Amino acid sequence: MKYHQCFIDNQWCDALSGERLAVDNPATGEIFAEVPACTAEDAERALQSAERARVQWGLLPPVERANYLYRICEGLKAERDHFARLLVMEQGKTLAEAGFEVDDTIRYMSYAAEAARRIQGEILPADVPNEQLYIHRVPYGVTLGICAYNYPLALIGRKLGPALVAGNVMIIKPHESTPVSASEFCRLVEQAGLPPGVVNMVTGTGPELGQKLVESPITKMISVTGSIRAGQAIAAAASRNLAALSLELGGNAPFIVLDDADIDAAVEAAVVARFANAGQVCICNESVLVAESVADEFTDKLLARVASVKLADPMSNTGMGPVSTAASLERIQAMVSRSLAEGAELAMGGKRGEGDQFGRGHWHEPTVLLNAKADSEAVRDELFGPVLPVVRIDGYEEALSITNARPDGLSAYLWTRNPSIYMDAIKRLETGTIFLNKGIVGYVNGYHNGHKLSGLGGEDGVHGLEGYLQKRTVYMAY
């Protein structure tokens, strides 16, 4: 078991209380690491460090800030295998998926660094002679990055890269179940030579640590990836100081299959999008809404394809790994039980997995529920796990009604060859992302955002970078 410290003011440190948090391996349930259990006093140390650093960091030319990001990326490239194995141990994704996450982290940060010469202002004509109107984009100062457990390393890169190149400093608060990769990432920050206070990282729980970071008047902008409930609590806590918010929250993506869809392609996309990372991807398809006329064909092919997805040691790359936390496993099992009581039929899976290997840790079999109702819990609420309910529908209008009736709106999948329908869906589907005849994907030059309760602001691309900049207007007479 290894102890990973926090990183404050370029110093490795313990919690002032001396308390620690245990980190378990989702595949085995064994504790393999410990981190400091930071509290409000430790948060204040990180806040003061960031406050001291923000002015000088913000005055550096963006290309100089970008050079530090490139150095961190070089460190990640050199230690790709090390970080991939850490991610498997603390999060449970397969080794291949973990390698892709390291690659994505590098991609997020490289893209941000490349934007250093693309931070733009505006020059506008004044209403009177001998005057000029300028709009500058300037950093917020101290920002806070709160990361979820499903992509503990990539979410750091996704937030830290644009924050730093825009001239902000950032305090990273990883999820308490996946803090090890964050600590190791800060080792690369140290090696890259960033000035003290530009990047701080503290570990601990939301009530003990996160609340102080969110409520502090020093914190000027907060980027969160997490559940709707967590986002609502953070927004309320941040409202006293009117901190800017970027909230990437939960969703309940439907996978809509209409009668003219390419069934084989849709089945493959549905299985990949649902069972990647054991279903713990915010834009995963959470349910299938399939037209009655093709429901039998789609279901038969879906069950055959899901049968090939087996539980396996995530280090082996031969199957699906466990879910990340014991609490997640308990929640998923309870939702499946209640959905069966509501009338859904268990077609496959539904339990932890057979054999001694799966008796420990947080394993749940790939599960398919047939004949689910649109208002059943497994369809209505975000499962965030390897369970796929299938709902039979009359057609497009019913799918649209089911989707838009939900309070969230992060993403949706639509499979149809009819251009009239998919052009209509672009206008009427109330989600931040739509996948049209396309499986799950996310490009760094796109924009990842939600509508309704799925969030405010967003990540990635030029619009994501702009979220870390505020506007300053200058009226100049000459």
Side-chain angles (χ1 to χ4, degrees):
M1 185 171 62
K2 188 174 181 181
Y3 177 52
H4 296 264
Q5 293 177 295
C6 288
F7 190 67
I8 300 176
D9 213 41
N10 279 19
Q11 300 293 318
W12 296 100
C13 55
D14 303 331
L16 290 173
S17 67
E19 296 296 316
R20 298 183 179 185
L21 293 174
V23 183
D24 76 344
N25 183 327
T28 65
E30 296 174 352
I31 296 172
F32 75 96
E34 289 183 329
V35 295
C38 294
T39 62
E41 291 76 17
D42 304 294
E44 186 63 28
R45 286 195 292 166
L47 287 161
Q48 292 299 328
S49 171
E51 177 67 13
R52 288 191 297 269
R54 68 173 179 85
V55 173
Q56 290 304 313
W57 179 255
L59 291 174
L60 286 178
V63 290
E64 289 192 29
R65 299 193 292 258
N67 285 335
Y68 287 106
L69 297 182
Y70 286 127
R71 290 176 206 163
I72 296 172
C73 289
E74 288 303 314
L76 285 170
K77 291 176 185 176
E79 298 192 43
R80 182 183 187 271
D81 291 346
H82 168 69
F83 277 92
R85 290 183 174 277
L86 276 182
L87 289 168
V88 175
M89 291 176 66
E90 73 170 346
Q91 198 273 335
K93 55 171 52 77
T94 67
L95 186 61
E97 290 173 319
F100 295 150
E101 180 171 349
V102 180
D103 296 340
D104 279 344
T105 308
I106 296 168
R107 197 172 291 117
Y108 285 132
M109 298 191 70
S110 297
Y111 180 88
E114 291 162 3
R117 289 188 170 91
R118 303 186 192 121
I119 299 173
Q120 299 179 5
E122 298 167 42
I123 302 174
L124 301 170
D127 291 355
V128 297
N130 300 325
E131 287 190 6
Q132 189 64 66
L133 173 59
Y134 298 93
I135 298 177
H136 292 257
R137 284 175 171 80
V138 298
Y140 284 95
V142 177
T143 66
L144 172 62
I146 300 178
C147 302
Y149 62 75
N150 56 336
Y151 287 95
L153 187 65
L155 289 173
I156 292 174
R158 194 178 217 174
K159 298 176 188 300
L160 188 70
L164 263 56
V165 81
N168 302 285
V169 299
M170 177 168 273
I171 301 170
I172 300 167
K173 196 283 183 188
H175 194 275
E176 56 268 26
S177 67
T178 53
V180 174
S181 53
S183 181
E184 285 290 282
F185 177 89
C186 288
R187 179 172 53 80
L188 301 184
V189 171
E190 182 182 37
Q191 292 174 5
L194 276 78
V198 173
V199 177
N200 291 286
M201 189 279 299
V202 284
T203 55
T205 64
E208 293 295 326
L209 175 66
Q211 186 171 352
K212 172 66 176 180
L213 294 169
V214 168
E215 292 181 345
S216 172
I218 292 174
T219 303
K220 295 299 188 291
M221 186 269 176
I222 305 167
S223 176
V224 180
T225 301
S227 67
I228 291 174
R229 178 193 57 78
Q232 290 171 323
I234 289 167
S239 64
R240 176 174 299 179
N241 296 307
L242 298 179
L245 294 171
S246 175
L247 305 177
E248 194 272 282
L249 308 179
N252 195 353
F255 193 96
I256 303 166
V257 182
L258 301 184
D259 55 11
D260 63 340
D262 182 334
I263 298 299
D264 291 334
V267 165
E268 182 64 22
V271 173
V272 171
R274 174 69 281 187
F275 299 106
N277 198 21
Q280 299 168 116
V281 186
C282 57
I283 54 175
C284 269
N285 53 312
E286 288 278 324
S287 61
V288 170
L289 309 180
V290 58
E292 183 69 47
S293 59
V294 294
D296 288 342
E297 178 188 1
F298 179 89
T299 300
D300 289 345
K301 291 181 175 180
L302 176 74
L303 292 175
R305 178 64 178 85
V306 175
S308 69
V309 181
K310 305 293 186 180
L311 297 179
D313 178 356
M315 286 290 187
S316 72
N317 278 331
T318 59
M320 189 185 78
V323 296
S324 295
T325 70
S328 294
L329 178 62
E330 183 178 343
R331 175 181 51 78
I332 292 165
Q333 290 175 322
M335 290 180 72
V336 169
S337 295
R338 289 192 291 266
S339 295
L340 293 176
E342 292 171 340
E345 300 172 12
L346 181 64
M348 184 175 294
K351 57 186 185 299
R352 285 184 57 96
E354 298 178 354
D356 294 341
Q357 178 181 355
F358 309 119
R360 299 171 295 132
H362 318 313
W363 296 91
H364 194 283
E365 291 179 327
T367 298
V368 178
L369 304 177
L370 298 182
N371 298 319
K373 303 302 181 185
D375 59 353
S376 65
E377 183 177 8
V379 178
R380 183 185 68 246
D381 298 336
E382 185 178 27
L383 275 157
F384 212 65
V387 179
L388 185 59
V390 179
V391 180
R392 292 173 178 245
I393 57 171
D394 291 334
Y396 169 64
E397 288 296 334
E398 184 181 4
L400 188 72
S401 176
I402 292 170
T403 302
N404 289 348
R406 292 170 176 163
D408 54 74
L410 189 60
S411 59
Y413 299 76
L414 175 60
W415 287 77
T416 177
R417 293 183 174 96
N418 188 331
S420 296
I421 289 180
Y422 60 65
M423 292 303 293
D424 181 80
I426 292 171
K427 297 179 181 178
R428 295 173 64 198
L429 264 177
E430 297 172 356
T431 63
T433 299
I434 302 173
F435 300 96
L436 292 173
N437 300 315
K438 177 72 178 174
I440 189 169
V441 72
Y443 300 146
V444 293
N445 56 336
Y447 188 50
H448 183 63
N449 69 306
H451 294 177
K452 301 188 286 188
L453 288 184
S454 289
L456 302 169
E459 309 267 17
D460 305 341
V462 295
H463 302 295
L465 177 64
E466 280 214 347
Y468 290 94
L469 292 160
Q470 56 186 335
K471 298 176 182 67
R472 180 172 296 157
T473 303
V474 178
Y475 296 90
M476 185 180 75
Y478 58 89

